Amino acid sequence: MRFFIFSLMLAAAAHAITCTEGLKLYYKNMYCLFFNEDGAFLDSNYISGLDGIFESRKLVREEDRILVVTSSNEEGTLQSDTSLYYYLINDINAPADSSIAYTKSVIGDTTFIEAITNGPDDEDDPNISKQKIKLFKDGLINDSFEEGPRGTNEDHLELTLKNDTLFRLSLQSEDGAPMDTANYHFYVADKDDDHLCHEFYRVDNCYGGCTDDNGNAIHDGDILQSYEHTIKETASGFVIEEFRSGKWTYQYFMRYTDGHTESIAKRPTVRMKQPSRDYYFDTKGRKLHKALPYRVQF
């Protein structure tokens, strides 16, 4: 009995996590196209407000695709739907509608991913991009390029955890213009509670004068405090909570990858079943007979 209790204590200690570490895992999962390599993956998220309003989304990972189950309650009306989120194709040379076509390699403790993501069709925003991702222990670098009817967009994102502070920097360029700062955020652990993080951001691109939520004037370069994030540990992972505008609660449910077969990171070399080249799929999984609007370059 003592040995059993001691084993449970060791298991709990092995997964003890701080707020900055939890946020790092969440953002790495979000920016690496769900190919989580660092111990946890996003299982679901939940947004709730006043008067019983809520919206939830759960990702169901299968061998060759990810499904999304959405539920909501607004004005007393309950709605639920299951749809295709992305097909997973382990061949970057064979992209298709609603798919992530990718290739992955590992050198030492660094993972390199190249991917073409092709989201649902939209004449104004085709949601097609090519991404290069570098994953390492304390963060990641993601470079993406999109081309569509409105022009081209390039994004460079850096995520790094240093000395209990998580830094998130995003640079953006449109139609070949020089890269400028889109946003710069950093998250600092509370000195008395390492399960609580304070988020700060730098004011950028404040043209014509800006004000904060209280109407006070702010300027480019000012550092302002944003939301607070709390980590709550669970039996299979942890939950990140945010409180916004005094009435909205955001919850992100993360699950540890060890011992769970749902993580697609456990199947990096499996040859995915590919959609036929004669047809494609929409977000409901329906077949569409049409040509692929593929005009991506990097």
Side-chain angles (χ1 to χ4, degrees):
M1 177 61 71
R2 290 180 179 179
F3 177 77
F4 176 72
I5 295 175
F6 180 69
S7 299
L8 291 178
M9 292 174 63
L10 286 178
H15 280 151
I17 190 167
T18 65
C19 181
T20 50
E21 290 171 339
L23 286 172
K24 180 196 71 172
L25 292 178
Y26 166 72
Y27 280 116
K28 286 185 74 172
N29 189 265
M30 184 171 68
Y31 291 120
C32 75
L33 300 174
F34 311 103
F35 295 97
N36 35 279
E37 301 290 330
D38 202 13
F41 62 93
L42 179 65
D43 178 76
S44 57
N45 65 280
Y46 185 84
I47 304 172
S48 59
L50 302 177
D51 301 322
I53 297 175
F54 75 84
E55 180 177 341
S56 68
R57 186 181 72 164
K58 179 177 176 61
L59 298 178
V60 180
R61 292 161 167 82
E62 297 182 346
E63 182 173 313
D64 62 347
R65 63 182 181 174
I66 301 176
L67 303 177
V68 57
V69 181
T70 57
S71 300
S72 64
N73 177 21
E74 187 171 354
E75 297 181 354
T77 302
L78 293 173
Q79 296 182 338
S80 181
D81 183 51
T82 300
S83 59
L84 173 67
Y85 195 54
Y86 276 114
Y87 271 96
L88 306 173
I89 302 174
N90 192 7
D91 184 355
I92 199 171
N93 297 313
D97 271 2
S98 300
S99 74
I100 300 175
Y102 70 96
T103 182
K104 184 168 67 171
S105 60
V106 179
I107 300 178
D109 59 356
T110 303
T111 299
F112 299 88
I113 298 172
E114 292 188 45
I116 294 176
T117 64
N118 189 343
D121 289 340
D122 187 315
E123 293 181 359
D124 295 326
D125 183 4
N127 294 321
I128 303 173
S129 69
K130 187 167 184 178
Q131 302 187 40
K132 288 187 176 181
I133 303 168
K134 179 181 179 182
L135 285 163
F136 45 91
K137 178 182 178 182
D138 293 326
L140 64 80
I141 297 174
N142 183 317
D143 289 293
S144 64
F145 181 91
E146 295 185 5
E147 183 179 27
R150 294 184 175 181
T152 62
N153 289 280
E154 292 184 71
D155 289 277
H156 174 82
L157 182 132
E158 298 180 9
L159 181 75
T160 308
L161 178 61
K162 292 182 179 180
N163 300 325
D164 294 328
T165 300
L166 181 67
F167 299 90
R168 180 165 60 93
L169 171 66
S170 176
L171 303 174
Q172 194 171 61
S173 170
E174 293 185 4
D175 297 327
M179 286 277 187
D180 59 3
T181 302
N183 58 69
Y184 175 64
H185 292 243
F186 57 96
Y187 309 81
V188 181
D190 187 88
K191 63 178 182 179
D192 298 319
D193 183 2
D194 60 8
H195 283 76
L196 172 65
C197 278
H198 307 285
E199 179 180 352
F200 298 86
Y201 69 96
R202 187 177 67 194
V203 178
D204 286 290
N205 302 319
C206 185
Y207 303 114
C210 299
T211 59
D212 61 16
D213 292 339
N214 297 319
N216 300 315
I218 57 177
H219 308 87
D220 282 353
D222 289 350
I223 301 297
L224 303 181
Q225 186 167 353
S226 183
Y227 309 114
E228 292 189 344
H229 308 263
T230 303
I231 291 286
K232 295 182 178 180
E233 301 188 50
T234 66
S236 59
F238 56 93
V239 182
I240 301 173
E241 289 188 346
E242 303 173 12
F243 300 95
R244 301 187 183 183
S245 304
K247 61 179 181 179
W248 295 103
T249 300
Y250 288 68
Q251 294 177 303
Y252 304 93
F253 295 81
M254 303 290 293
R255 293 182 62 183
Y256 292 120
T257 56
D258 57 318
H260 301 284
T261 59
E262 292 184 44
S263 170
I264 59 177
K266 297 296 184 180
R267 307 183 180 90
T269 58
V270 173
R271 179 71 178 187
M272 301 301 184
K273 180 180 178 182
Q274 301 180 20
S276 166
R277 301 299 293 175
D278 296 324
Y279 58 83
Y280 304 99
F281 298 84
D282 65 8
T283 56
K284 303 294 184 182
R286 297 171 297 198
K287 295 179 182 178
L288 298 177
H289 295 268
K290 61 177 181 178
L292 177 67
Y294 174 58
R295 300 196 304 126
V296 176
Q297 60 184 23
F298 190 82

